[in-house]
Amino acid sequence: MSIRYYYKHERKTIVLVDCIVVLVAISFAYFIRAQYSDVIFTVQDAAILFPWLVFLRIFSNNFFEHYSISLKMFDNRDMMSILKHGIVPSAILILFRILSPYQDLRMPFSMIVMEYCFSMLGFIAVRLHINNYLQKSDDETIGYRKRIILYGEVRDIERLIDIGYFCTVNRCEIVGIFTSNPLFWQNELQQIRVYGDETKLRDLIASDDRISEICLIEENEISEKRRQFIDNEARGFLLAVNPLESYMR
């Protein structure tokens, strides 16, 4: 499967894989629970509740926008977000367990906890595997490339840079975009995540020791205070800070 094909169908692919992960997770939880003599959750109960559980998991992931970020940009913050938001469907199951008068909606607490653990482990493992595959595929296709960060207005980046051409000519990979405009934070531009303003630089740089440069878009429009902050952060990690003009050929 090519990288281009994967990107085109990424959302559908990961939704389908997540459905399988939840089914496997709840099946494991049911199998473990069934080893005990006091089985109060029957196969018939499972057949009724399992499809709803899959729906809850997928709806929750979609509601909290876990399918809106390219898995090539998957990082530790995304893992923590999945773990945190994954509690919501489990909390709903607990409410059913406590309040529902219908036995087929009352999943045992032990199964709820096990399903959460198995599902979260599966979600994260799948995403890390795909992320690793995409990174390796890019490296094998293009070879060594320096990894850089863009800083500036997203509209200026769209106006001034052809991302594909820029990366090819400079033999680089853009690993993230930072901007002072909060309207674009935690969104994407051509599958490159917009993380936040300059105060968030340290989080990304510290998590990826292969980042070597910061490219400033419209350098003259960056305030002296922001520029000084960026320079200090870059100096602390031995990164170069260059204007966009130095990359244009």
Side-chain angles (χ1 to χ4, degrees):
M1 180 175 64
S2 69
I3 297 298
R4 181 176 296 179
Y5 179 89
Y6 173 76
Y7 279 148
K8 183 178 180 181
H9 301 280
E10 177 178 338
R11 184 185 177 91
K12 295 179 181 178
T13 301
I14 197 62
V15 168
L16 177 60
V17 173
D18 279 355
C19 289
I20 296 173
V21 166
V22 176
L23 284 173
V24 171
I26 194 61
S27 297
F28 280 170
Y30 182 79
F31 175 78
I32 294 172
R33 183 66 178 82
Q35 304 309 302
Y36 297 91
S37 58
D38 183 18
V39 180
I40 60 174
F41 194 72
T42 66
V43 174
Q44 183 178 355
D45 297 333
I48 294 174
L49 192 56
F50 284 9
W52 287 104
L53 177 56
V54 174
F55 171 79
L56 279 174
R57 286 284 175 209
I58 301 305
F59 178 82
S60 176
N61 284 348
N62 187 66
F63 180 82
F64 291 110
E65 300 185 342
H66 293 304
Y67 299 126
S68 65
I69 299 297
S70 171
L71 293 187
K72 189 176 180 181
M73 310 303 294
F74 188 72
D75 59 20
N76 292 336
R77 281 172 290 186
D78 296 316
M79 293 186 206
M80 297 306 299
S81 181
I82 286 175
L83 291 173
K84 178 175 65 176
H85 296 146
I87 294 175
V88 174
S90 297
I92 293 174
L93 292 177
I94 290 175
L95 287 177
F96 284 163
R97 177 70 179 87
I98 296 173
L99 302 177
S100 175
Y102 303 105
Q103 178 62 38
D104 51 9
L105 296 180
R106 302 181 64 195
M107 184 183 296
F109 287 117
S110 58
M111 282 187 62
I112 296 174
V113 173
M114 286 188 289
E115 184 277 328
Y116 169 81
C117 294
F118 292 149
S119 290
M120 296 306 103
L121 177 62
F123 288 165
I124 292 174
V126 166
R127 284 158 173 76
L128 286 177
H129 177 75
I130 295 176
N131 174 271
N132 185 57
Y133 168 76
L134 293 173
Q135 299 292 346
K136 284 186 176 180
S137 296
D138 275 356
D139 290 341
E140 291 170 359
T141 303
I142 303 177
Y144 172 77
R145 298 167 302 162
K146 57 186 175 183
R147 295 166 67 83
I148 69 173
I149 291 170
L150 299 183
Y151 183 91
E153 284 291 332
V154 173
R155 293 189 181 93
D156 290 337
I157 296 173
E158 291 180 301
R159 176 172 56 88
L160 297 172
I161 297 179
D162 180 326
I163 298 294
Y165 178 78
F166 179 89
C167 292
T168 300
V169 169
N170 292 283
R171 293 187 62 81
C172 68
E173 178 183 358
I174 300 172
V175 298
I177 297 172
F178 290 80
T179 178
S180 60
N181 190 340
L183 291 176
F184 295 96
W185 294 354
Q186 299 307 318
N187 289 314
E188 284 192 348
L189 173 64
Q190 297 184 38
Q191 298 173 337
I192 301 171
R193 178 174 293 186
V194 183
Y195 285 92
D197 63 7
E198 65 278 1
T199 62
K200 304 297 183 181
L201 277 169
R202 179 181 294 268
D203 295 338
L204 180 60
I205 298 171
S207 67
D208 187 346
D209 60 6
R210 294 182 296 168
I211 296 174
S212 59
E213 300 176 17
I214 300 175
C215 171
L216 301 180
I217 312 299
E218 297 287 22
E219 179 184 24
N220 295 332
E221 296 185 6
I222 301 174
S223 69
E224 184 63 27
K225 182 178 180 181
R226 291 184 187 277
R227 176 59 192 268
Q228 184 176 3
F229 186 94
I230 294 170
D231 286 339
N232 290 337
E233 290 294 281
R235 191 178 302 113
F237 290 94
L238 303 178
L239 270 61
V241 180
N242 301 315
L244 175 62
E245 290 74 17
S246 67
Y247 296 90
M248 308 303 285
R249 300 178 183 179

